[in-house]
Amino acid sequence: VEINSEEDIAALSMSLTSFVAQEEPLEALCISWHTEALKRFQHIKALLSALPQDVPLHAWVKLPEVGCLWSMKHTASLIPALRRAAPDQRVVALTCQAYSTLERAGSKLPGSAEDVGSLIQTGDAKLRQDALEMRLDNLAVRLKTLRAFVESTPAPVLGHQLCAHRFQCKLVSS
């Protein structure tokens, strides 16, 4: 995602605010920021190469988009599912059943994670139940799986718009 305007900066700020305001705190938050225009998986490759070496390969990674909204209970509901899946190495990714997104162009951005519920009530944000549609920003993926995909994918493919589709196909066939 490119940051080209004050609106984009406000959306990024809103996303980061909702990530750090979780009832169940995040272990880490890593951001890929480059001056040149990179596609999503090029950012992911840069981010993976910048991760500290002590991050375990069995760690779970989320790939949120700028502008995504996490309620304060997002990680509180996600972490038990990740803990249940952790012992089974055949489980390489999980998707959340419900998530919220801004619904109206020009909607007032939330000032904090607590505001997500009121945005949904006013119709400025919508609670989505797209469980059948796999979305990258709604996945939790094992670091080992993500790293293997990025390392085995040719550089030109990482910059292609269909790389996300390739990743989803790899996840489904794993």
Side-chain angles (χ1 to χ4, degrees):
V1 175
E2 292 184 38
I3 306 292
N4 294 318
S5 67
E6 292 291 326
E7 232 176 55
D8 294 342
I9 292 170
L12 175 62
S13 175
M14 176 216 41
S15 295
L16 294 174
T17 300
S18 76
F19 301 161
V20 298
Q22 297 298 299
E23 287 180 356
E24 178 101 14
L26 301 173
E27 285 285 322
L29 179 62
C30 302
I31 299 171
S32 172
W33 188 279
H34 295 271
T35 55
E36 70 269 11
L38 295 179
K39 299 294 183 193
R40 183 128 195 219
F41 277 90
Q42 291 170 320
H43 274 289
I44 292 169
K45 182 177 182 175
L47 182 70
L48 290 175
S49 66
L51 283 178
Q53 295 300 316
D54 61 347
V55 176
L57 289 175
H58 63 271
W60 294 95
V61 178
K62 288 221 20 132
L63 307 168
E65 287 280 342
V66 168
C68 77
L69 303 170
W70 286 5
S71 75
M72 290 184 62
K73 297 180 189 243
H74 179 79
T75 57
S77 57
L78 178 63
I79 287 176
L82 295 176
R83 285 184 179 137
R84 284 191 303 276
D88 188 348
Q89 292 301 307
R90 295 173 297 171
V91 178
V92 296
L94 295 175
T95 186
C96 298
Q97 300 263 335
Y99 60 97
S100 57
T101 58
L102 285 178
E103 192 61 18
R104 297 183 188 147
S107 294
K108 181 184 174 207
L109 296 174
S112 67
E114 295 95 359
D115 296 340
V116 173
S118 61
L119 282 172
I120 292 170
Q121 289 176 346
T122 63
D124 288 324
K126 182 175 182 181
L127 184 62
R128 300 193 177 274
Q129 302 280 340
D130 297 340
L132 299 178
E133 177 187 337
M134 188 184 307
R135 297 170 40 110
L136 284 181
D137 60 343
N138 210 27
L139 283 176
V141 181
R142 288 189 195 267
L143 176 59
K144 179 180 179 178
T145 302
L146 185 59
R147 192 178 298 272
F149 174 79
V150 169
E151 289 173 356
S152 68
T153 302
V157 176
L158 289 175
H160 196 277
Q161 64 185 5
L162 293 178
C163 190
H165 179 69
R166 182 176 190 272
F167 181 62
Q168 291 171 347
C169 289
K170 288 272 192 189
L171 287 178
V172 170
S173 66
S174 293

